[in-house]
Amino acid sequence: MDLSYTPQELAFQQEVRDFFEANLPGHIADAVRSGAEMTGEIYQEYHRILSAKGWLATTWPKQFGGPGWTPVERHIFDVESNRYNAPRIVPFGLAMLGPVIQKFGNDRQKAEVLPGILSAEDWWCQGYSEPGAGSDLASLKTRADRDGDHYVVNGQKTWTTLGQYANKIFCLVRTRFDGKPQEGISFLLMDLDLPGIEMRPIRLIEGGHEVNEVFFTDVRVPVENLVGEENAGWTIAKFLLTHERTGIAGVGISMQALEELKALGRRVKRDGRRLIEDPLFAARVARVEADLEAMKITNLRMLFQAQKQGHPGPETSILKIKGTQINQEIRDLARRALGPVAAPFPGHVNDGNLALSPPDTEHNAARYFNARKTSIFGGSNEIQRNILTKTMLEL
């Protein structure tokens, strides 16, 4: 693989940089740089900026309104957006549901669902996990009983990320109760303002409100909102999860976090010398940098493969495992570099070795604790190893 950018790719890289220089509002970049919890308003403002440029649906082909980028162009955009401290693109409608509708949806669903995602008018959230069905997703119990031209949905979903900002949800529901559990699952689209839907916040360990639980009580959903065939939702669910795991790798996020870690190591002093000169700390930084470079190359290889076959394959589990491990290691090193200063103190902080203002320090602990979830969501890393064992090693 030639890792050098072509002249066309270098020109695209400059176009992306010029775009962020001219269009990314300072208050959004400042919020991301500080590590503050993103609000729905910030996400929506950023999504509309990208939508106006035609760059919101970065993975979509041109025939569905996307930019039709190559894997390298998507990689460049990912790296540069993080370099300029842009927020992440909320993936649920764009990187998950969008590809599902394009592959499994009927013509009416394509005409109705995709434009709302592209315009940033509709915010979708994901209804997969349940209190007793997380990594063992096939054991889900939320049920949808057919009643004429409607399904009546009852049950509960949990860990619904950013659901408090959403107006729509896609859900896995059980429509058959005999046979193998995987063979009785269907994929439904719902408006969140339907009677009988209640969303409650879940506070995370760092205090943020990022996830929710959703309750369904006799919710009537039109049968036309079924995607694909009834009881064939497990195939759709697996297809969607391969797209999710590719995004979880977070190459651009980790690249930017690594640069911030190096800068921190040059500023922090321990025993009269810069921390980056400490052999143990430097070795850990070098090791995680080498891992990140390897993952970056692997990510590009898999993106090219996905482009050839039309969708990602089970090898995306590798990206999910390594991506989350690398990000957690970087956050851990930053926390260790700051020591007690990593705690969220108000006002000016000075421990004798380091003088930093709150934007540099106040969210470090939150970032560290928030990163602990990444090896669990999207299918735990243990589940990813099982997938690799069965599908790639055939054990």
Side-chain angles (χ1 to χ4, degrees):
M1 174 181 282
D2 184 0
L3 298 179
S4 301
Y5 289 154
T6 66
Q8 293 79 10
E9 289 162 351
L10 287 172
F12 177 74
Q13 181 185 54
Q14 189 59 53
E15 181 184 2
V16 174
R17 290 176 176 177
D18 291 343
F19 171 78
F20 282 117
E21 290 278 2
N23 295 283
L24 184 64
H27 69 276
I28 292 181
D30 289 342
V32 174
R33 188 181 298 110
S34 72
E37 185 175 358
M38 294 292 99
T39 65
E41 290 76 14
I42 286 179
Y43 281 126
Q44 286 288 61
E45 182 178 358
Y46 180 56
H47 282 193
R48 291 191 180 103
I49 290 170
L50 292 179
S51 179
K53 177 69 173 175
W55 284 4
L56 181 58
T58 61
T59 62
W60 291 17
K62 287 186 177 180
Q63 70 184 95
F64 292 112
W69 287 343
T70 67
V72 173
E73 288 171 332
R74 296 204 299 271
H75 172 75
I76 289 171
F77 179 83
D78 178 41
V79 171
E80 295 301 325
S81 64
N82 283 280
R83 180 170 173 264
Y84 280 89
N85 292 295
R88 68 166 177 154
I89 296 175
V90 178
F92 306 107
L94 292 154
M96 298 182 195
L97 181 61
V100 162
I101 296 298
Q102 291 164 25
K103 183 173 178 63
F104 298 99
N106 55 39
D107 290 341
R108 182 192 61 79
Q109 290 167 343
K110 291 174 183 177
E112 292 181 1
V113 174
L114 297 181
I117 298 174
L118 272 180
S119 66
E121 294 177 7
D122 289 330
W123 185 317
W124 288 87
C125 60
Q126 182 181 24
Y128 268 35
S129 294
E130 298 181 4
S135 294
D136 182 19
L137 188 57
S139 64
L140 66 88
K141 292 181 172 56
T142 296
R143 61 187 296 156
D145 297 295
R146 185 75 177 261
D147 181 21
D149 57 357
H150 284 78
Y151 287 107
V152 180
V153 179
N154 286 277
Q156 178 185 355
K157 297 293 180 179
T158 194
W159 310 125
T160 307
T161 304
L162 302 179
Q164 68 269 34
Y165 304 129
N167 63 325
K168 297 177 182 291
I169 185 171
F170 55 89
C171 280
L172 294 181
V173 295
R174 185 160 299 286
T175 45
R176 197 176 76 192
F177 295 86
D178 59 338
K180 293 179 61 177
Q182 293 90 338
E183 295 174 353
I185 292 172
S186 298
F187 194 101
L188 272 185
L189 309 177
M190 305 184 206
D191 291 331
L192 279 171
D193 61 358
L194 288 174
I197 298 181
E198 179 188 3
M199 187 171 299
R200 301 176 189 172
I202 298 174
R203 288 289 174 184
L204 299 180
I205 190 172
E206 90 284 7
H209 173 199
E210 188 178 18
V211 296
N212 306 267
E213 52 186 346
V214 187
F215 297 87
F216 304 89
T217 305
D218 294 331
V219 180
R220 297 185 65 84
V221 181
V223 170
E224 64 184 18
N225 285 19
L226 174 73
V227 178
E229 299 295 326
E230 186 175 274
N231 301 318
W234 189 246
T235 298
I236 300 175
K238 292 189 295 182
F239 174 86
L240 183 148
L241 286 172
T242 59
H243 285 270
E244 180 182 17
R245 288 160 189 160
T246 304
I248 289 174
V251 174
I253 292 174
S254 290
M255 288 177 67
Q256 181 61 23
L258 180 63
E259 291 305 310
E260 294 172 0
L261 174 64
K262 289 180 178 179
L264 190 62
R266 290 189 291 267
R267 288 155 54 202
V268 175
K269 289 187 176 181
R270 292 287 183 265
D271 300 322
R273 65 176 179 178
R274 297 183 306 167
L275 185 59
I276 199 66
E277 297 169 358
D278 178 271
L280 293 177
F281 182 80
R284 289 187 66 175
V285 172
R287 183 164 55 248
V288 76
E289 184 170 18
D291 286 344
L292 180 54
E293 282 299 308
M295 188 181 70
K296 182 169 68 174
I297 295 170
T298 303
N299 187 59
L300 283 170
R301 287 172 50 215
M302 291 185 182
L303 287 173
F304 273 108
Q305 185 63 30
Q307 187 178 48
K308 289 180 181 179
Q309 62 190 24
H311 59 84
E315 63 274 8
T316 56
S317 293
I318 298 173
L319 295 177
K320 201 277 180 176
I321 294 169
K322 291 303 297 183
T324 56
Q325 290 175 338
I326 288 168
N327 185 261
Q328 287 175 344
E329 174 68 2
I330 293 172
R331 299 305 183 192
D332 183 46
L333 285 172
R335 180 182 64 92
R336 291 175 180 272
L338 287 169
V341 184
F345 294 113
H348 191 73
V349 177
N350 190 343
D351 72 344
N353 291 302
L354 178 69
L356 297 172
S357 58
D360 296 297
T361 62
E362 65 178 344
H363 295 291
N364 269 282
R367 284 174 166 177
Y368 167 78
F369 284 118
N370 192 275
R372 307 318 299 168
K373 72 185 182 192
T374 59
S375 50
I376 300 173
F377 70 29
S380 69
N381 284 6
E382 290 78 12
I383 292 294
Q384 305 312 313
R385 293 184 180 94
N386 286 344
I387 292 172
L388 293 171
T389 299
K390 292 178 181 179
T391 61
M392 299 189 71
L393 301 180
E394 299 183 350
L395 297 177

